[in-house]
Amino acid sequence: MGGALRRRTRSQPPGYLGPIAAAWLLLACSSPDRRLLDEPTADAASADGGSMDATVPFDASTSSPDAGSAPDSAPLPPLDGGCEPNPNLSNTDCPVRCPETCNGVDDDCDGRSDEQASSDCSLDQAEAVCVAGRCGITECSAGFRDCDGDPKNGCEVPPDDVNHCGACGQGCDLENAVAGCVQGSCVAAGCLDNFDSCDQSALTGCETPVDRIQHCGDCTSECAPAAAVPTCGDGQCSVARCLPGHADCNGDTTDGCETPLDTLADCAGCATACAKTSCVGGICTDADCTAPMADCDGDGSSCETDVGSDSANCGACGAPCAFAASVDSPHASLDGCVDGSCSISCEVGWGDCDGDYANGCESALNTRLDCGACGEVCAVPGAVPSCATGTCQIASCIANYADCDGDGQSCEAYLRSLEHCGGCGRSCKLPNAVTGCESGSCELLACEGSFVDCNGEPEDGCELDVAAPDQCDCGVPNTDSDGDGTADCKDLCPRVAATASACFPYQPRNFDPELVDWLAAPDAVLDCGTTTIDTSGAVTLTNFCGPAPTPTPIIVAQPGGGEVVVIALTSLQVAAGATVRVIGSRPLIFAVADAASIAGTIDASADGTTHGAGGNIDCGSAAGTDVPSRCGNETGGGGGGGFGTSGGRGGAGDDCGGGLGGGTRGTAELVPLMGGCRGGTGGGCTGRGGAGGALQISAGSSLLVTGSLRVHGGDGPASCGGQLGGAGGGSGGGLLLEAESIDLTSAVLDARGGNGGNGSSRTTSGGIGSTDPELPGKTGQSDTAAGGAGGGGGYGRIAIDAKETCTGCL
């Protein structure tokens, strides 16, 4: 199993006692003397005259039993600190009763220590319980961790700590990048100057220098000015020197050395006129020369030199092919003059990477930045790379990654995953359980559906189905409490008995039913046009017409996923023709204790550039890349946003590559619940396709959808004028449906990506947003004379969890 199996408590199925009570129960089951936690001691029973039955559980909601007290005695005056004299005068070991504190002492004289003292334990970012006189952590708040093992400072590590990203001690060290931590994964929050992430992998950091002629300013732009030796400094392409026979006469390095110096107007120099017959090779002569033949000896009578092939006069008279005197070992041989340019052949393992033949083949091709070829960066996901042999290989795997498939191409396996928990092939999948592997050891996080872990042994998963007709809770037989003639788990519904989450025969994802006041949950019948729910700030419900009263939304924190709005209802109906429009900054969950029926539309989609509810939160590399306005006259299109699939790349303009499409993120289970990601802006424009929102419907019994549930992404705007690029489309959002039975026979579930905006030519079409959960968004079209089009947004994520998903099963 890959190390010791550990249990960590999160939300649990019906009958769950809550994290503090569960900790007491777990300790009680393992203690040699269970009376320490849930029974009076024998000494206490004898001390108060034997009147306390040791088999009767202590009721924490009432005052402690006062066996042996004198009912006819007048109450004694209280002491300081909430203490009072013990009315049981025979208990000489405890003369004063005080409120219980976490100190290992029987403060209230009931024969037990610390039984109500957990409220005295206040730890930062943690739920705490008092055990054996000390406060201990039972669960950390959303995303926080206790990495130093000291309960005194609570869960001291925040979820975005780059030194403990995803697990304690798992640091983020990304090459040439400012490291960040998002949802337990290391990401490049930004690249250092003159570096970029061209492979779009957070595991390789910002692996590519973008101040070289192969990648100048960005990942796709090569520096190749006309008739010049190029140079790239601080990401800007410029001219190192002009080739023989050419000059930069207009002072604009963007068009290279644009002026040939073999014309009568520019003869051997800018604006140097020649009053004779010709100027081939930069020699003003009376000889009537036609290129490539030139009068290099200047006798005015013949054109004796071929400047296209003469190594002593290559490209111009007096321009010999020779290595620079300062070069000791050029690692190359001169091939002569070819088409007016000096040509060389490199030795094996060396390359002319700066484009200047005069210094030979200056770059060894066995380095990480020039591996086998100039500008070929050696970067291996999950590994420390090596190019000692001229081929990119794995030197070693980085922490928590391994080459489990043995192909030697990458360290592809994350050793904190359920498939490889702590080592290759060590599975962490337990029966009927949600498991985790954040620390490299398998952990049971929660039980699935109606299963619970009653024996406290996580190795066998969650072994008891509380939906069975004879058992609804660990050790608690079921009874026919609702009088329908059948003993079943629905008898525990809070409308009959206030047991909070018992109406759900499974553990809902992303919220704890224990946090909801189900007795106050109304029935909702939405049949009056458009209902609007705004999840931003103080949540507002407009035209929520069915229930009386209108439900009160609650805002809860998802572990590792930010806040989510929960609207609790007993039942939900959205009539045909009715629309529920969900907007705002947070995802929305409809928590329905009984049945839900959707014949109309619930829409949490993006609207153009406006994000859907809960869209574009902590997207990182899943957002489409913006295109800078500094690229040139014809800018590229923005990349499409990603989520379930990646976004499409923006089309290139003549002077600028398109923005990169966003990558995938999140989990197929949509835990935590999150929306999609925005598209990127086209060069020089500000708009971008909005991200699809996040919607969850959790029904305690059945869910029937004959209408539409929409979380699609927004289309990117077209170019804003001139030669500027179009924007990328936003990705589709997240849609999670869970119930005992789900019927989607006639449903429309829409999580498509938004389309990219057209480029400035208007005929340069934006990439189509993905309509398939297996395919990325399409790439926008490029244009060599105008702005490129935006990339299409990736498909969102749709998760469906039910015991039955069928037709006619309701």
Side-chain angles (χ1 to χ4, degrees):
M1 218 15 144
L5 186 63
R6 301 185 296 150
R7 179 184 185 88
R8 186 175 66 193
T9 304
R10 286 189 180 171
S11 52
Q12 295 288 343
Y16 174 57
L17 301 176
I20 296 179
W24 281 109
L25 182 60
L26 213 57
L27 184 58
C29 291
S30 60
S31 173
D33 185 1
R34 294 183 60 184
R35 292 172 301 178
L36 172 66
L37 298 179
D38 57 7
E39 297 177 5
T41 62
D43 292 342
S46 60
D48 56 18
S51 62
M52 181 181 292
D53 185 352
T55 66
V56 177
F58 176 69
D59 184 0
S61 65
T62 66
S63 59
S64 304
D66 285 335
S69 63
D72 296 330
S73 303
L76 297 172
L79 304 174
D80 291 339
C83 300
E84 61 181 19
N86 188 356
N88 182 6
L89 301 179
S90 63
N91 187 354
T92 58
D93 292 333
C94 190
V96 178
R97 296 194 315 186
C98 300
E100 283 288 352
T101 58
C102 190
N103 56 9
V105 176
D106 179 16
D107 297 299
D108 60 2
C109 308
D110 66 350
R112 298 181 296 173
S113 301
D114 301 342
E115 73 280 0
Q116 300 179 56
S118 292
S119 61
D120 187 49
C121 295
S122 178
L123 302 179
D124 291 341
Q125 306 297 339
E127 292 185 9
V129 65
C130 178
V131 178
R134 294 186 178 181
C135 294
I137 297 171
T138 62
E139 184 174 15
C140 291
S141 301
F144 284 80
R145 291 185 177 86
D146 174 26
C147 290
D148 62 5
D150 183 1
K152 293 180 182 178
N153 61 358
C155 299
E156 78 286 352
V157 176
D160 58 354
D161 192 317
V162 295
N163 297 312
H164 306 277
C165 188
C168 291
Q170 182 171 298
C172 295
D173 185 13
L174 304 179
E175 189 169 15
N176 305 313
V178 178
C181 180
V182 177
Q183 298 176 0
S185 297
C186 293
V187 299
C191 292
L192 300 183
D193 288 346
N194 297 323
F195 285 90
D196 205 347
S197 176
C198 294
D199 64 1
Q200 293 298 294
S201 172
L203 296 178
T204 56
C206 300
E207 80 293 338
T208 303
V210 289
D211 59 352
R212 310 183 71 193
I213 65 172
Q214 293 81 13
H215 308 281
C216 188
D218 58 39
C219 297
T220 59
S221 298
E222 181 179 1
C223 180
V229 174
T231 185
C232 182
D234 291 328
Q236 298 294 322
C237 182
S238 60
V239 173
R241 72 171 187 274
C242 292
L243 295 182
H246 292 81
D248 178 17
C249 292
N250 64 5
D252 183 1
T253 60
T254 61
D255 59 0
C257 299
E258 81 291 341
T259 303
L261 300 181
D262 60 357
T263 67
L264 296 179
D266 301 282
C267 188
C270 295
T272 301
C274 173
K276 297 181 180 181
T277 303
S278 67
C279 186
V280 178
I283 299 296
C284 186
T285 178
D286 286 326
D288 188 6
C289 298
T290 301
M293 302 307 296
D295 179 19
C296 287
D297 62 6
D299 63 3
S301 62
S302 65
C303 302
E304 79 287 344
T305 305
D306 183 351
V307 294
S309 61
D310 188 345
S311 296
N313 300 276
C314 190
C317 295
C321 290
F323 293 120
S326 60
V327 178
D328 294 331
S329 179
H331 300 290
S333 60
L334 283 167
D335 293 339
C337 180
V338 179
D339 294 331
S341 295
C342 298
S343 175
I344 61 174
S345 293
C346 294
E347 296 177 2
V348 175
W350 293 85
D352 179 17
C353 295
D354 64 1
D356 184 2
Y357 91 92
N359 63 359
C361 299
E362 80 292 341
S363 298
L365 300 183
N366 64 350
T367 67
R368 192 186 64 79
L369 299 183
D370 298 296
C371 188
C374 292
E376 190 68 28
V377 176
C378 178
V380 182
V384 176
S386 170
C387 189
T389 64
T391 302
C392 190
Q393 297 176 328
I394 297 173
S396 62
C397 292
I398 64 176
N400 299 320
Y401 282 84
D403 180 18
C404 288
D405 61 10
D407 66 356
Q409 300 300 309
S410 66
C411 297
E412 80 291 339
Y414 182 44
L415 300 184
R416 296 294 187 267
S417 67
L418 299 185
E419 293 76 17
H420 307 283
C421 187
C424 290
R426 295 180 182 175
S427 177
C428 180
K429 295 182 179 179
L430 304 178
N432 312 310
V434 177
T435 53
C437 184
E438 288 187 0
S439 62
S441 296
C442 193
E443 300 173 295
L444 193 157
L445 304 180
C447 292
E448 293 181 340
S450 56
F451 284 86
V452 292
D453 177 23
C454 288
N455 61 11
E457 308 234 351
E459 289 84 357
D460 61 0
C462 301
E463 76 284 353
L464 180 66
D465 185 0
V466 297
D470 60 345
Q471 193 76 44
C472 276
D473 200 357
C474 299
V476 180
N478 192 24
T479 59
D480 182 17
S481 61
D482 61 3
D484 64 358
T486 302
D488 55 36
C489 289
K490 292 180 181 177
D491 292 318
L492 298 179
C493 179
R495 285 168 287 182
V496 177
T499 55
S501 62
C503 277
F504 284 89
Y506 59 92
Q507 174 59 45
R509 301 179 189 177
N510 302 314
F511 75 100
D512 184 356
E514 297 283 349
L515 301 175
V516 177
D517 181 8
W518 294 105
L519 294 174
D523 294 289
V525 180
L526 303 178
D527 58 358
C528 51
T530 298
T531 299
T532 301
I533 301 173
D534 187 346
T535 64
S536 302
V539 181
T540 58
L541 283 68
T542 305
N543 199 33
F544 204 93
C545 52
T550 297
T552 301
I554 62 173
I555 299 172
V556 299
Q558 303 180 89
E563 293 180 336
V564 63
V565 174
V566 178
I567 295 179
L569 304 167
T570 296
S571 65
L572 171 63
Q573 295 181 53
V574 179
T579 297
V580 179
R581 180 75 176 116
V582 188
I583 60 177
S585 60
R586 304 182 184 97
L588 176 68
I589 297 176
F590 280 114
V592 186
D594 200 349
S597 174
I598 313 299
T601 298
I602 302 180
D603 189 356
S605 302
D607 183 7
T609 61
T610 302
H611 305 306
N616 204 47
I617 298 175
D618 297 332
C619 280
S621 61
T625 301
D626 297 336
V627 175
S629 60
R630 62 176 172 78
C631 287
N633 294 327
E634 293 84 39
T635 60
F643 189 18
T645 66
S646 58
R649 182 168 190 161
D654 186 39
D655 292 324
C656 185
L660 299 177
T664 60
R665 67 170 190 148
T667 65
E669 296 80 13
L670 281 174
V671 179
L673 182 65
M674 62 175 66
C677 294
R678 63 167 177 79
T681 60
C685 297
T686 59
R688 64 192 74 198
L695 174 67
Q696 175 175 334
I697 302 176
S698 302
S701 58
S702 63
L703 172 60
L704 170 64
V705 183
T706 57
S708 301
L709 302 175
R710 301 183 182 276
V711 290
H712 62 73
D715 294 343
S719 167
C720 59
Q723 301 295 307
L724 306 177
S731 76
L735 176 62
L736 170 57
L737 307 177
E738 52 183 6
E740 279 231 83
S741 62
I742 297 179
D743 188 340
L744 303 174
T745 306
S746 303
V748 174
L749 307 181
D750 184 2
R752 59 185 163 83
N755 298 328
N758 291 345
S760 57
S761 71
R762 304 296 178 181
T763 60
T764 308
S765 299
I768 303 299
S770 173
T771 59
D772 188 321
E774 301 297 325
L775 298 178
K778 300 294 185 182
T779 299
Q781 288 185 345
S782 299
D783 196 324
T784 59
Y795 198 83
R797 291 190 184 275
I798 298 178
I800 300 171
D801 187 9
K803 292 185 176 180
E804 298 175 322
T805 304
C806 59
T807 303
C809 62
L810 301 179

